Amino acid sequence: MRIGDVASAVGLSTQTIRFYERRGLLPKPHRDPNGYRTYDPAILARLQFIRNGQGAGLTLLEVAAILELRGEGTSPCTHVRELLSTKLEDVRARQSELVALEAELESLISRSQRLDPADCTDVAVCHIIAPRR
Amino acid sequence: MRIGDVASAVGLSTQTIRFYERRGLLPKPHRDPNGYRTYDPAILARLQFIRNGQGAGLTLLEVAAILELRGEGTSPCTHVRELLSTKLEDVRARQSELVALEAELESLISRSQRLDPADCTDVAVCHIIAPRR
DNA sequence: CTAGACCTTGAACCCCGGTATAAGGTCAAG
DNA sequence: CTTGACCTTATACCGGGGTTCAAGGTCTAG
């Protein structure tokens, strides 16, 4: 597959794929004699993994590190386990934050349905978004 | 109040307040003859509103839009309710992503613990931490 | 042979939410 | 009159995640 095939298969631009390569998320691909990148279809799963991790708040650098471990299955460095454990803690902490934000939003929405818009004052701007109790 | 008074009253830097002004979140303030910004204490409620909006996960652009509606004399309530509902959906989607990522990380950590840790005592051998290949 | 669709590179640019730096003006106290 | 705290502006920078631009090389169909 050439870069354009990969790009359209995963819904990214060719520039983004080259960008990922520069950032170390993708291995350096084979080059045809003309210099074109040529990919094995396995690259698609890798790109999917990148999207998953990224969508959940990992940086590209972190995704790159995880991909190394996942793909190679080699060198289970203590260092790497620490990285993954730290990330896991981060993910759990972020989950808690989002749960709190969810509750806050639910409360604001619920309040917005009980209040009269006429209560909004210029100073407060909008009664829906108000200081936490 | 001068900008420094406002800044310390709300716990922001003076640069941030000027930044908000440039972004259209704050009205252009009165200027003293010497050019200094002078604020009515009502600015504090507006800054509080901005903080609350950010706390609810709104971007500065979204907060600015609400403030602008208010400034035009429109009650922004309906708009705000829609905005908050959309945010709530975003937050829930992100939570699901994080749960999936948590499982992925747990799996990677578990696998890394089954592999032989003695193989990776040398820092240089740990290809994850090593410079880009 | 030429058009056009693909590919290559490097560099510059964009958004977000600020923060930092530089170079200067103003003002009250000592 | 100087010091120091405040204020002004413009401009650059940060990280994170790309996108766009410019200038070219390559391949395939007609």
Side-chain angles (χ1 to χ4, degrees), chain B residues 117-130:
Chain B
D119 291 346
C120 194
T121 52
D122 182 359
V123 171
V125 170
C126 183
H127 60 276
I128 296 171
I129 303 306

Side-chain angles (χ1 to χ4, degrees), chain A residues 22 49 55-56 66 68-70 74 76-77 80-81 91-92 95 98 101-102 106 112 120 122 125, chain B residues 55 70 77 81 92 94-95 97-98 101-102 104 106 108 111-113 115-116 120 126-128 132:
Chain A
R22 283 201 300 285
F49 182 83
I66 293 168
E68 286 294 320
L69 179 66
R70 172 187 159 113
T74 58
C77 305
V80 169
R81 275 206 301 277
V91 165
R92 287 176 174 156
Q95 280 179 8
L98 287 182
L101 180 56
E102 180 183 22
E106 282 167 346
S112 81
C120 292
D122 284 334
V125 181
Chain B
R70 184 74 229 176
C77 295
R81 223 164 20 234
R92 287 176 173 155
R94 199 152 177 83
Q95 281 178 6
E97 289 168 357
L98 285 181
L101 181 70
E102 181 183 21
E104 176 70 19
E106 282 166 347
L108 288 172
R111 186 157 69 93
S112 80
Q113 283 164 349
L115 296 170
D116 187 356
C120 194
C126 183
H127 60 276
I128 296 171
R132 286 190 297 164

Side-chain angles (χ1 to χ4, degrees), chain A:
Chain A
M1 305 175 77
R2 291 195 312 194
I3 194 169
D5 303 324
V6 173
S8 59
V10 297
L12 293 173
S13 69
T14 57
Q15 299 99 310
T16 300
I17 292 174
R18 287 190 280 258
F19 170 74
Y20 285 173
E21 184 184 326
R22 283 201 300 285
R23 281 284 196 278
L25 282 99
L26 301 179
K28 294 203 166 189
H30 266 152
R31 298 291 185 133
D32 281 348
N34 57 18
Y36 289 10
R37 289 167 177 82
T38 306
Y39 294 94
D40 186 283
I43 200 74
L44 302 180
R46 198 173 173 103
L47 284 165
Q48 191 53 56
F49 182 83
I50 293 168
R51 290 186 66 169
N52 291 344
Q54 179 185 39
L58 292 187
T59 67
L60 290 183
L61 214 59
E62 289 163 344
V63 173
I66 293 168
L67 275 169
E68 286 294 320
L69 179 66
R70 172 187 159 113
E72 305 295 330
T74 58
S75 299
C77 305
T78 302
H79 217 103
V80 169
R81 275 206 301 277
E82 282 169 8
L83 171 69
L84 293 177
S85 297
T86 300
K87 206 62 220 176
L88 183 54
E89 280 172 31
D90 291 351
V91 165
R92 287 176 174 156
R94 184 71 184 132
Q95 280 179 8
S96 303
E97 286 171 12
L98 287 182
V99 166
L101 180 56
E102 180 183 22
E104 176 71 14
L105 285 169
E106 282 167 346
S107 151
L108 291 173
I109 290 167
S110 149
R111 183 149 52 130
S112 81
Q113 285 161 352
R114 290 196 309 272
L115 294 179
D116 181 351
D119 292 345
C120 292
T121 64
D122 284 334
V123 168
V125 181
C126 174
H127 60 228
I128 299 174
I129 297 175
R132 292 184 199 204
R133 287 111 0 240

